[in-house]
Amino acid sequence: MQLIDRPIPGDALQRLLAARIPPALARLYAARGVTQLEQLDYRLQQLPDFTRMKGAAAAGQLLADCLQQGKRILIIADYDADGATACAVAVRGLRMLGGIVDFLVPNRFEYGYGLTPEIVELAAERLPDLLVTVDNGIASLDGVAAAQARGLPVLITDHHLPGPQLPEAAAIVNPNQPGCDFPSKAMAGVGVMFYVLLATRAALRERGHFTPENQPNLATLLDLVALGTVADVVPLDALNRCLVYQGLRRMRAGQACSGIRALAEAAGRSLDFAGHYELGFVLGPRLNAAGRLEDMTIGIQCLLSDDPAQTRRWASELEQLNQARKDIEADMQEVALNRVDLEQLGQQHSIVLYDRDWHQGVVGLLAGRLKERFHRPTLVFARGQDGLLKGSGRSIAGFHLRDALDWVSKQHPDLLHKFGGHAAAAGLTLAEADFPRFAACFEDVAQQWLQPAQLQRQLETDGTLPPHELTLPLAEALESQVWGQGFAEPVYRGYFRVSSQRVVGERHLKLQLTSADGQAFDAILFNQVDFLPDRISIAYRISINRYAGRSRLQLVVQQWQSAESMPQ
């Protein structure tokens, strides 16, 4: 793996330093595209107004009509963490505003993704007056048409990239739809739904239904917005950082909803210092486990209930499902690694795999693991119940996965039955007999679009950190910030002598490292038990090890290599 230092634009750095940002933080922000202090202002007042999002005002009026007329609203959710949190935000928020609201989430194994005609038929049994999609719907042409045929209006809230034709919905709210000049194109589905609630509350306020003094506080939903945003791995632009920051503030202050608290408790984690790791790697996977293996209904119920005993039971079920998911994923990964021909991989620009025994709900995770290990755009397929193969993909920087699938579909119109997604992740279906042809076509586009240099794994770092800045106060300052996709957590590099090392937890190395100037640092290297050489060059994150009421600076080793000598 090659270490690459992020460039630091000098003019941006000087502006941040002039604004009295500490040098260590100013360098990090400038390297991540921050050019002015306003981009670090995470007050809710700094959010762009909902009127700038195409369709939001119309959606607000439509929902306000339904609320005031006592009409029944049915939320059609997606079966991932973004869809689950968006559904919980929609149900909780509309009920806060006085709505009669229920939800329906498709079982991925029976109905597949999105508002299909079959889901419309199922929804109609609930006798709703309005369907509202969350985190789906922008490609549901047939589903919306089926609803129209029943006289059932549909409000679409989504964030996925649209196709060439939009559904004939009553209103569409999606910052990525044509003609929308909303400043953020990176919102998750849960963020879009939060904005629709802001528009609805404003419409009701204009009608005299609420006053600024007695209107519901929608900010109480931001813990859910933060969870869905991070779990969906959307880029953390300034708007998303604001939403996540405010949600984390609520969690750290003990104001998370009962379901989120129960999920953290079941995982043995505290929310007192919650950050992107807890959202993306602790809570998100446990919520996703329901949609991957069974039905996301249990996850949504966990997020909707305010009964601690009930949420604990659901969180316990989600914990068990997540452990089962881990076991299934481990078995699939073993098979997949045996399938990858390392010699042949050197000539390939992509990885496309299928096994008839693989679990349809876990192929996306496996694709992500393989992409991380081999640094290739990766698509993994399993058998669907309808006789088609269901595939899920993950991509590397510089290769837009949905655009690649679109290119394949245009070159071979008979090949793909359905596809959708975005730059980093996508899903598709095709006939089992067409798998070899698709794998060859996808490799062709990868060969055309990717240069060999792009297939070399790189780890971006923030350079070396002066020893006087490598302190617990810096770790605390970093912990209080929002990091994640597109706004990467800081990684530094440096040379150290290994003063001591021992295995802890049977899987990890606990280290004592000494810098060139003689300072000693605690460090840990996860998932390795083989001892390190005496002198090493490492890439590392800064963390805080809290134990028995004490906080200590700890370096988390991300990558290491032997160093014959330490620079003076």
Side-chain angles (χ1 to χ4, degrees):
M1 180 185 294
Q2 185 180 13
L3 301 184
I4 303 292
D5 289 347
R6 292 185 178 87
I8 302 175
D11 53 347
L13 176 61
Q14 291 307 313
R15 280 197 293 271
L16 294 173
L17 291 173
R20 298 188 177 181
I21 300 292
L25 291 176
R27 295 194 300 270
L28 295 175
Y29 294 144
R32 286 157 178 77
V34 175
T35 59
Q36 50 194 357
L37 204 56
E38 288 75 11
Q39 293 170 266
L40 302 170
D41 186 348
Y42 298 146
R43 293 175 299 167
L44 291 175
Q45 296 89 330
Q46 295 298 111
L47 288 174
D49 193 82
F50 72 84
T51 56
R52 300 182 63 183
M53 187 179 292
K54 182 179 179 181
Q61 296 293 340
L62 177 61
L63 286 169
D65 289 342
C66 290
L67 297 178
Q68 290 189 313
Q69 296 167 20
K71 292 185 175 181
R72 294 180 299 275
I73 301 169
L74 185 64
I75 309 300
I76 308 296
D78 187 18
Y79 40 67
D80 67 357
D82 185 18
T85 53
C87 182
V89 164
V91 174
R92 281 182 173 273
L94 290 171
R95 286 176 179 170
M96 289 166 63
L97 296 172
I100 304 170
V101 194
D102 201 356
F103 74 91
L104 172 65
V105 58
N107 182 304
R108 74 191 303 161
F109 307 109
E110 294 181 39
Y111 295 101
Y113 171 78
L115 182 68
T116 61
E118 294 77 14
I119 287 297
V120 170
E121 184 177 347
L122 192 63
E125 297 175 4
R126 310 272 191 97
L127 302 179
D129 298 300
L130 175 70
L131 299 182
V132 179
T133 71
V134 291
D135 192 31
N136 75 94
I138 197 64
S140 299
L141 304 177
D142 294 340
V144 173
Q148 274 190 329
R150 291 177 173 270
L152 185 54
V154 179
L155 163 59
I156 291 174
T157 75
D158 202 350
H159 70 119
H160 294 97
L161 296 176
Q165 182 181 351
L166 297 181
E168 296 290 335
I172 297 176
V173 189
N174 182 338
N176 288 303
Q177 68 176 305
C180 183
D181 62 357
F182 193 72
S184 173
K185 302 298 182 182
M187 297 180 76
V190 66
V192 175
M193 186 61 224
F194 180 73
Y195 258 73
V196 170
L197 291 176
L198 295 177
T200 306
R201 186 180 65 179
L204 291 168
R205 196 170 57 236
E206 290 170 0
R207 302 177 186 194
H209 194 81
F210 295 121
T211 67
E213 291 73 31
N214 72 4
Q215 67 182 5
N217 181 13
L218 297 176
T220 59
L221 302 171
L222 286 170
D223 56 340
L224 293 164
V225 176
L227 173 54
T229 298
V230 173
D232 209 44
V233 203
V234 294
L236 294 186
D237 60 5
L239 181 146
N240 282 335
R241 292 200 305 277
C242 179
L243 295 175
V244 172
Y245 177 86
Q246 292 292 337
L248 287 173
R249 277 189 62 189
R250 298 193 63 82
M251 293 184 198
R252 293 167 181 168
Q255 297 173 335
C257 69
S258 181
I260 286 180
R261 293 198 305 271
L263 284 170
E265 181 183 322
R269 304 287 298 200
S270 169
L271 294 176
D272 292 346
F273 301 96
H276 80 277
Y277 179 83
E278 282 72 22
L279 300 183
F281 297 96
V282 178
L283 303 179
R286 283 159 174 80
L287 192 57
N288 271 323
R292 293 189 184 283
L293 299 191
E294 291 190 5
D295 190 310
M296 183 51 90
T297 299
I298 180 177
I300 296 172
Q301 288 173 329
C302 184
L303 298 179
L304 286 177
S305 176
D306 293 318
D307 181 345
Q310 199 172 52
T311 54
R312 285 194 192 98
R313 286 195 297 272
W314 278 321
S316 177
E317 288 187 46
L318 291 170
E319 183 71 22
Q320 294 173 31
L321 284 172
N322 191 52
Q323 186 57 56
R325 185 272 305 168
K326 288 181 180 178
D327 294 340
I328 292 170
E329 184 185 349
D331 291 342
M332 288 170 58
Q333 187 169 337
E334 182 178 359
V335 173
L337 291 176
N338 288 331
R339 293 271 187 86
V340 177
D341 186 330
L342 295 181
E343 291 187 10
Q344 186 179 359
L345 187 65
Q347 308 301 318
Q348 291 181 328
H349 285 37
S350 69
I351 296 173
V352 182
L353 296 176
Y354 159 60
D355 189 289
R356 63 179 54 201
D357 293 326
W358 282 347
H359 195 292
Q360 181 184 329
V362 187
V363 288
L365 291 175
L366 178 58
R369 302 290 187 198
L370 296 174
K371 184 267 295 186
E372 289 297 322
R373 186 179 185 112
F374 299 112
H375 200 66
R376 300 285 193 281
T378 302
L379 288 161
V380 178
F381 290 82
R383 269 185 167 178
Q385 289 187 339
D386 52 7
L388 297 174
L389 298 188
K390 302 293 180 71
S392 186
R394 300 294 183 269
S395 192
I396 62 176
F399 188 84
H400 195 296
L401 191 52
R402 186 198 174 278
D403 285 357
L405 295 177
D406 186 53
W407 186 91
V408 171
S409 73
K410 287 181 169 61
Q411 299 298 313
H412 306 273
D414 63 323
L415 190 53
L416 303 186
H417 288 235
K418 289 192 300 184
F419 70 93
H422 46 80
L428 68 158
T429 61
L430 51 84
E432 184 172 1
D434 287 333
F435 174 77
R437 184 160 65 104
F438 170 77
C441 294
F442 189 74
E443 174 64 17
D444 284 345
V445 67
Q447 292 275 353
Q448 293 179 42
W449 289 12
L450 287 169
Q451 299 299 317
Q454 294 175 276
L455 303 178
Q456 302 303 311
R457 292 185 63 199
Q458 295 181 342
L459 177 61
E460 285 191 306
T461 81
D462 294 284
T464 58
L465 192 63
H468 71 274
E469 291 183 348
L470 187 48
T471 63
L472 183 61
L474 175 61
E476 292 171 337
L478 296 181
E479 186 180 66
S480 69
Q481 303 302 304
V482 176
W483 311 103
Q485 180 73 15
F487 204 78
E489 185 178 12
V491 174
Y492 297 98
R493 57 179 175 82
Y495 291 87
F496 295 89
R497 181 168 56 85
V498 180
S499 303
S500 67
Q501 51 188 320
R502 58 188 174 89
V503 176
V504 294
E506 300 182 353
R507 296 196 312 165
H508 318 300
L509 279 183
K510 184 70 173 176
L511 309 166
Q512 184 82 188
L513 303 180
T514 304
S515 63
D517 66 348
Q519 291 191 63
F521 299 96
D522 291 340
I524 191 162
L525 173 57
F526 290 111
N527 299 313
Q528 177 169 323
V529 296
D530 296 331
F531 278 11
L532 303 183
D534 291 340
R535 289 178 173 82
I536 55 175
S537 168
I538 65 172
Y540 64 91
R541 293 187 293 106
I542 302 173
S543 71
I544 302 173
N545 183 18
R546 294 183 173 90
Y547 182 73
R550 295 183 60 194
S551 298
R552 293 175 61 91
L553 175 71
Q554 178 175 256
L555 311 185
V556 180
V557 179
Q558 301 287 98
Q559 190 264 353
W560 68 271
Q561 61 183 20
S562 177
E564 293 184 1
S565 62
M566 295 174 61
Q568 300 300 314

Coordinates of all heavy atoms in Angstrom, one line a residue, residues 139-209:
A139 N -37.2 5.6 -9.3 CA -37.2 4.8 -10.5 C -38.4 3.9 -10.6 O -38.5 3.1 -11.5 CB -36.0 3.9 -10.5
S140 N -39.4 4.2 -9.7 CA -40.6 3.3 -9.7 C -41.7 3.8 -10.6 O -42.8 4.2 -10.2 CB -41.1 3.3 -8.2 OG -40.2 2.8 -7.3
L141 N -41.4 3.7 -11.9 CA -42.4 4.2 -12.9 C -43.6 3.3 -12.9 O -44.8 3.8 -12.9 CB -41.8 4.1 -14.3 CG -40.5 4.9 -14.5 CD1 -40.0 4.7 -15.9 CD2 -40.7 6.4 -14.3
D142 N -43.5 2.0 -12.9 CA -44.6 1.1 -12.9 C -45.4 1.1 -11.6 O -46.6 1.0 -11.6 CB -44.1 -0.4 -13.2 CG -43.5 -0.5 -14.5 OD1 -43.8 0.3 -15.4 OD2 -42.8 -1.5 -14.7
G143 N -44.7 1.2 -10.5 CA -45.3 1.3 -9.2 C -46.2 2.5 -9.1 O -47.4 2.4 -8.6
V144 N -45.7 3.7 -9.4 CA -46.5 4.9 -9.4 C -47.7 4.8 -10.3 O -48.8 5.2 -10.0 CB -45.6 6.1 -9.7 CG1 -46.5 7.4 -9.8 CG2 -44.6 6.3 -8.6
A145 N -47.5 4.3 -11.5 CA -48.6 4.1 -12.4 C -49.7 3.2 -11.9 O -50.9 3.4 -12.0 CB -48.1 3.5 -13.8
A146 N -49.2 2.1 -11.2 CA -50.2 1.2 -10.6 C -51.0 1.9 -9.5 O -52.2 1.7 -9.3 CB -49.5 0.0 -10.0
A147 N -50.3 2.8 -8.7 CA -51.0 3.5 -7.7 C -52.0 4.5 -8.3 O -53.1 4.7 -7.8 CB -50.0 4.2 -6.8
Q148 N -51.6 5.2 -9.3 CA -52.5 6.1 -10.0 C -53.7 5.4 -10.5 O -54.8 6.0 -10.5 CB -51.7 6.7 -11.2 CG -50.9 8.0 -10.9 CD -50.4 8.7 -12.1 OE1 -50.1 8.0 -13.1 NE2 -50.3 10.0 -12.1
A149 N -53.5 4.2 -11.0 CA -54.7 3.5 -11.6 C -55.7 3.2 -10.5 O -56.9 3.0 -10.8 CB -54.2 2.2 -12.2
R150 N -55.3 3.2 -9.2 CA -56.1 2.9 -8.1 C -56.6 4.3 -7.5 O -57.3 4.3 -6.5 CB -55.4 2.2 -7.0 CG -55.1 0.7 -7.3 CD -54.4 0.0 -6.2 NE -54.2 -1.4 -6.4 CZ -55.0 -2.3 -6.0 NH1 -56.1 -1.9 -5.3 NH2 -54.8 -3.6 -6.2
G151 N -56.2 5.4 -8.1 CA -56.6 6.7 -7.6 C -55.8 7.0 -6.3 O -56.3 7.8 -5.5
L152 N -54.7 6.4 -6.1 CA -53.9 6.6 -4.9 C -52.6 7.5 -5.2 O -51.7 7.0 -5.9 CB -53.4 5.2 -4.4 CG -52.7 5.1 -3.1 CD1 -53.4 5.8 -2.0 CD2 -52.4 3.6 -2.8
P153 N -52.6 8.7 -4.7 CA -51.5 9.6 -5.0 C -50.2 9.1 -4.3 O -50.3 8.5 -3.3 CB -51.9 10.9 -4.5 CG -53.0 10.6 -3.5 CD -53.6 9.4 -3.9
V154 N -49.1 9.5 -4.9 CA -47.8 9.1 -4.4 C -46.9 10.3 -4.2 O -46.8 11.1 -5.2 CB -47.1 8.0 -5.3 CG1 -45.7 7.7 -4.7 CG2 -47.9 6.8 -5.5
L155 N -46.3 10.4 -3.1 CA -45.2 11.4 -2.8 C -43.9 10.7 -2.7 O -43.7 9.8 -1.9 CB -45.5 12.2 -1.5 CG -44.4 13.0 -0.9 CD1 -43.8 14.0 -1.9 CD2 -44.8 13.6 0.4
I156 N -43.0 11.0 -3.6 CA -41.7 10.4 -3.6 C -40.7 11.2 -2.9 O -40.5 12.4 -3.2 CB -41.2 10.1 -5.1 CG1 -42.1 9.1 -5.7 CG2 -39.8 9.7 -5.1 CD1 -41.8 8.8 -7.2
T157 N -40.0 10.7 -1.9 CA -38.8 11.3 -1.3 C -37.6 10.3 -1.5 O -37.7 9.2 -1.1 CB -39.0 11.6 0.2 OG1 -38.9 10.4 1.0 CG2 -40.4 12.3 0.4
D158 N -36.6 10.7 -2.1 CA -35.5 9.8 -2.5 C -34.2 10.7 -2.7 O -34.3 11.9 -2.7 CB -35.8 9.1 -3.8 CG -35.1 7.8 -4.0 OD1 -34.1 7.5 -3.2 OD2 -35.4 7.0 -4.9
H159 N -33.1 10.0 -2.8 CA -31.8 10.7 -3.1 C -31.0 10.0 -4.2 O -30.0 10.5 -4.5 CB -31.0 10.8 -1.8 CG -30.4 9.4 -1.3 ND1 -29.1 9.2 -1.2 CD2 -31.0 8.3 -0.9 CE1 -28.9 7.9 -0.8 NE2 -30.1 7.4 -0.6
H160 N -31.5 8.9 -4.6 CA -30.8 8.1 -5.7 C -30.9 8.8 -7.0 O -31.8 9.6 -7.3 CB -31.3 6.7 -5.8 CG -31.1 5.9 -4.6 ND1 -32.1 5.7 -3.6 CD2 -30.0 5.2 -4.2 CE1 -31.6 4.9 -2.7 NE2 -30.4 4.6 -3.0
L161 N -29.9 8.5 -7.9 CA -29.9 9.2 -9.2 C -31.1 8.7 -10.0 O -31.3 7.5 -10.1 CB -28.6 8.8 -9.9 CG -27.3 9.3 -9.2 CD1 -26.1 8.8 -10.0 CD2 -27.3 10.8 -9.2
P162 N -31.8 9.6 -10.7 CA -32.9 9.3 -11.5 C -32.5 8.7 -12.8 O -31.4 9.0 -13.3 CB -33.7 10.6 -11.6 CG -32.6 11.6 -11.6 CD -31.6 11.1 -10.6
G163 N -33.4 8.0 -13.5 CA -33.2 7.6 -14.8 C -33.7 8.6 -15.8 O -34.0 9.8 -15.4
P164 N -33.8 8.3 -17.1 CA -34.2 9.3 -18.1 C -35.6 9.7 -17.9 O -36.0 10.8 -18.4 CB -34.0 8.5 -19.4 CG -34.0 7.1 -19.1 CD -33.4 7.0 -17.7
Q165 N -36.4 9.0 -17.2 CA -37.8 9.3 -17.1 C -38.2 9.3 -15.6 O -37.8 8.4 -14.9 CB -38.7 8.4 -17.8 CG -40.2 8.7 -17.8 CD -41.1 7.7 -18.5 OE1 -40.5 6.8 -19.2 NE2 -42.4 7.7 -18.4
L166 N -39.0 10.3 -15.2 CA -39.4 10.4 -13.8 C -40.8 9.8 -13.6 O -41.6 9.9 -14.6 CB -39.4 11.8 -13.3 CG -38.0 12.5 -13.2 CD1 -38.1 13.9 -12.6 CD2 -37.0 11.7 -12.4
P167 N -41.2 9.3 -12.5 CA -42.5 8.8 -12.3 C -43.5 9.9 -12.3 O -43.2 11.1 -12.0 CB -42.5 8.1 -10.9 CG -41.0 7.9 -10.6 CD -40.3 9.0 -11.3
E168 N -44.8 9.6 -12.6 CA -45.8 10.6 -12.6 C -46.4 10.7 -11.2 O -47.6 10.4 -11.0 CB -46.9 10.3 -13.6 CG -46.4 10.3 -15.1 CD -46.1 11.7 -15.6 OE1 -46.7 12.6 -15.1 OE2 -45.3 11.8 -16.5
A169 N -45.6 11.2 -10.3 CA -46.0 11.3 -8.9 C -46.7 12.6 -8.6 O -46.6 13.6 -9.3 CB -44.9 11.1 -8.0
A170 N -47.4 12.6 -7.5 CA -48.1 13.9 -7.0 C -47.0 14.9 -6.7 O -47.2 16.1 -6.9 CB -49.0 13.6 -5.8
A171 N -45.9 14.5 -6.2 CA -44.8 15.4 -5.9 C -43.5 14.5 -5.8 O -43.6 13.4 -5.3 CB -45.0 16.2 -4.6
I172 N -42.4 15.1 -6.2 CA -41.1 14.4 -6.1 C -40.1 15.3 -5.3 O -39.9 16.5 -5.7 CB -40.5 14.0 -7.4 CG1 -41.4 13.0 -8.2 CG2 -39.1 13.4 -7.3 CD1 -41.0 12.7 -9.6
V173 N -39.5 14.8 -4.3 CA -38.5 15.5 -3.6 C -37.2 14.7 -3.6 O -37.1 13.6 -3.0 CB -38.9 15.8 -2.1 CG1 -37.8 16.8 -1.5 CG2 -40.3 16.4 -2.0
N174 N -36.2 15.2 -4.4 CA -35.0 14.5 -4.6 C -33.9 15.5 -5.0 O -34.1 16.1 -6.1 CB -35.1 13.4 -5.6 CG -33.8 12.6 -5.8 OD1 -32.7 13.0 -5.5 ND2 -33.9 11.3 -6.3
P175 N -32.9 15.8 -4.3 CA -32.0 16.9 -4.7 C -31.2 16.5 -5.9 O -30.6 17.4 -6.6 CB -31.0 17.0 -3.5 CG -31.2 15.7 -2.7 CD -32.6 15.3 -2.9
N176 N -31.3 15.3 -6.4 CA -30.6 14.8 -7.6 C -31.5 14.8 -8.8 O -31.1 14.4 -9.9 CB -29.9 13.5 -7.4 CG -28.7 13.6 -6.5 OD1 -27.8 14.3 -6.7 ND2 -28.8 12.8 -5.3
Q177 N -32.7 15.2 -8.7 CA -33.6 15.3 -9.8 C -33.3 16.5 -10.7 O -32.7 17.5 -10.2 CB -35.1 15.3 -9.4 CG -35.5 16.6 -8.7 CD -37.0 16.6 -8.4 OE1 -37.8 16.4 -9.3 NE2 -37.3 16.8 -7.2
P178 N -33.6 16.4 -12.0 CA -33.3 17.5 -12.9 C -34.0 18.8 -12.4 O -35.1 18.7 -12.0 CB -33.9 17.0 -14.2 CG -33.9 15.5 -14.1 CD -34.2 15.2 -12.7
G179 N -33.3 19.9 -12.5 CA -33.9 21.2 -12.2 C -33.8 21.5 -10.7 O -34.3 22.6 -10.4
C180 N -33.2 20.7 -9.9 CA -33.1 21.0 -8.5 C -31.7 21.7 -8.2 O -30.7 21.0 -8.5 CB -33.3 19.8 -7.6 SG -33.2 20.1 -5.8
D181 N -31.8 22.9 -7.7 CA -30.5 23.6 -7.5 C -30.1 23.6 -6.0 O -29.4 24.5 -5.5 CB -30.5 25.0 -8.0 CG -31.6 25.9 -7.4 OD1 -32.4 25.3 -6.5 OD2 -31.7 27.1 -7.7
F182 N -30.7 22.7 -5.2 CA -30.3 22.6 -3.8 C -28.8 22.4 -3.7 O -28.2 21.6 -4.5 CB -31.0 21.4 -3.2 CG -31.0 21.4 -1.7 CD1 -31.7 22.3 -1.0 CD2 -30.2 20.5 -1.0 CE1 -31.7 22.4 0.4 CE2 -30.2 20.5 0.4 CZ -30.9 21.4 1.1
P183 N -28.1 23.1 -2.8 CA -26.7 23.1 -2.8 C -26.0 21.8 -2.4 O -24.9 21.5 -2.7 CB -26.3 24.2 -1.7 CG -27.6 24.3 -0.9 CD -28.7 24.1 -1.8
S184 N -26.7 20.9 -1.8 CA -26.2 19.6 -1.5 C -26.8 18.5 -2.3 O -28.0 18.4 -2.4 CB -26.4 19.2 0.0 OG -26.0 17.9 0.3
K185 N -25.9 17.7 -3.0 CA -26.4 16.6 -3.8 C -26.0 15.3 -3.1 O -26.2 14.2 -3.7 CB -25.8 16.6 -5.2 CG -26.0 17.9 -6.0 CD -27.5 18.1 -6.3 CE -27.8 19.3 -7.1 NZ -29.2 19.5 -7.3
A186 N -25.6 15.4 -1.9 CA -25.1 14.2 -1.2 C -26.0 13.7 -0.1 O -25.6 12.8 0.7 CB -23.7 14.5 -0.6
M187 N -27.1 14.2 0.1 CA -28.0 13.9 1.2 C -28.4 12.4 1.1 O -28.6 11.8 0.0 CB -29.3 14.7 1.2 CG -29.0 16.2 1.5 SD -30.5 17.2 1.5 CE -31.2 16.7 3.1
A188 N -28.6 11.8 2.3 CA -29.2 10.4 2.3 C -30.7 10.6 2.3 O -31.3 11.7 2.5 CB -28.7 9.7 3.6
G189 N -31.4 9.5 2.1 CA -32.8 9.5 2.1 C -33.4 10.0 3.4 O -34.4 10.7 3.3
V190 N -32.8 9.7 4.5 CA -33.3 10.2 5.8 C -33.2 11.7 5.9 O -34.1 12.4 6.4 CB -32.6 9.5 7.0 CG1 -31.1 9.9 7.0 CG2 -33.3 9.8 8.3
G191 N -32.2 12.3 5.3 CA -32.0 13.8 5.3 C -33.1 14.4 4.4 O -33.6 15.5 4.8
V192 N -33.4 13.8 3.3 CA -34.4 14.4 2.4 C -35.8 14.3 3.1 O -36.6 15.3 3.1 CB -34.5 13.5 1.1 CG1 -35.7 14.0 0.2 CG2 -33.2 13.7 0.3
M193 N -36.1 13.3 3.8 CA -37.4 13.2 4.5 C -37.4 14.2 5.7 O -38.5 14.8 5.9 CB -37.6 11.8 5.1 CG -39.0 11.6 5.7 SD -40.3 11.8 4.5 CE -41.5 12.8 5.5
F194 N -36.3 14.5 6.3 CA -36.3 15.5 7.4 C -36.6 16.9 6.8 O -37.4 17.6 7.4 CB -34.9 15.5 8.0 CG -34.8 16.5 9.1 CD1 -35.4 16.3 10.3 CD2 -34.0 17.7 8.9 CE1 -35.2 17.3 11.4 CE2 -33.9 18.6 9.9 CZ -34.5 18.4 11.1
Y195 N -36.1 17.1 5.6 CA -36.4 18.4 4.9 C -37.9 18.5 4.5 O -38.5 19.6 4.6 CB -35.5 18.6 3.7 CG -34.4 19.5 4.0 CD1 -33.3 19.2 4.8 CD2 -34.4 20.8 3.4 CE1 -32.3 20.0 5.0 CE2 -33.4 21.7 3.7 CZ -32.3 21.3 4.5 OH -31.3 22.2 4.7
V196 N -38.5 17.4 4.1 CA -39.9 17.4 3.8 C -40.7 17.7 5.1 O -41.8 18.4 5.0 CB -40.3 16.0 3.2 CG1 -41.8 15.9 3.1 CG2 -39.7 15.8 1.8
L197 N -40.3 17.2 6.2 CA -41.0 17.5 7.5 C -40.9 19.0 7.8 O -41.9 19.6 8.3 CB -40.4 16.7 8.6 CG -40.7 15.2 8.6 CD1 -40.0 14.5 9.7 CD2 -42.2 14.9 8.7
L198 N -39.7 19.6 7.5 CA -39.6 21.0 7.7 C -40.5 21.8 6.9 O -41.2 22.8 7.3 CB -38.1 21.5 7.4 CG -37.0 20.9 8.3 CD1 -35.7 21.4 7.8 CD2 -37.2 21.4 9.8
A199 N -40.7 21.4 5.6 CA -41.6 22.0 4.7 C -43.1 21.8 5.2 O -43.9 22.8 5.0 CB -41.4 21.5 3.3
T200 N -43.4 20.7 5.7 CA -44.8 20.4 6.1 C -45.1 21.3 7.3 O -46.2 21.8 7.4 CB -44.9 18.9 6.5 OG1 -44.5 18.1 5.3 CG2 -46.4 18.6 6.8
R201 N -44.2 21.3 8.3 CA -44.4 22.2 9.5 C -44.6 23.6 9.1 O -45.5 24.3 9.6 CB -43.2 22.0 10.5 CG -43.4 22.7 11.8 CD -42.3 22.6 12.7 NE -41.1 23.2 12.2 CZ -39.9 23.2 12.8 NH1 -39.8 22.6 14.0 NH2 -38.8 23.7 12.3
A202 N -43.8 24.1 8.1 CA -43.9 25.5 7.7 C -45.3 25.7 7.0 O -45.9 26.8 7.2 CB -42.8 25.8 6.7
A203 N -45.8 24.7 6.2 CA -47.1 24.9 5.6 C -48.2 25.0 6.6 O -49.1 25.8 6.5 CB -47.3 23.7 4.6
L204 N -48.1 24.1 7.7 CA -49.1 24.2 8.7 C -49.0 25.5 9.5 O -50.0 26.0 10.0 CB -48.9 22.9 9.6 CG -49.2 21.6 9.0 CD1 -48.7 20.4 9.9 CD2 -50.7 21.5 8.8
R205 N -47.8 25.9 9.7 CA -47.6 27.2 10.4 C -48.2 28.4 9.7 O -48.9 29.2 10.2 CB -46.1 27.5 10.7 CG -45.8 28.5 11.7 CD -44.3 28.5 12.1 NE -43.5 28.7 10.9 CZ -42.5 27.9 10.5 NH1 -42.3 26.8 11.2 NH2 -41.8 28.1 9.4
E206 N -48.0 28.4 8.3 CA -48.6 29.4 7.5 C -50.2 29.4 7.6 O -50.8 30.4 7.4 CB -48.2 29.2 6.0 CG -46.7 29.5 5.8 CD -46.3 29.1 4.4 OE1 -47.2 28.5 3.7 OE2 -45.1 29.3 4.0
R207 N -50.7 28.2 7.8 CA -52.2 28.1 7.9 C -52.7 28.3 9.3 O -53.9 28.2 9.5 CB -52.6 26.7 7.4 CG -52.2 26.3 6.0 CD -52.5 24.9 5.7 NE -52.0 24.5 4.4 CZ -52.4 23.4 3.7 NH1 -53.3 22.6 4.2 NH2 -51.8 23.1 2.5
G208 N -51.8 28.7 10.2 CA -52.3 29.0 11.5 C -52.4 27.7 12.4 O -52.9 27.8 13.6
H209 N -52.0 26.6 11.9 CA -52.2 25.3 12.7 C -51.2 25.3 13.8 O -51.5 24.8 14.9 CB -51.9 24.2 11.7 CG -52.3 22.8 12.3 ND1 -53.6 22.4 12.3 CD2 -51.6 21.9 12.9 CE1 -53.7 21.2 12.9 NE2 -52.5 20.9 13.3

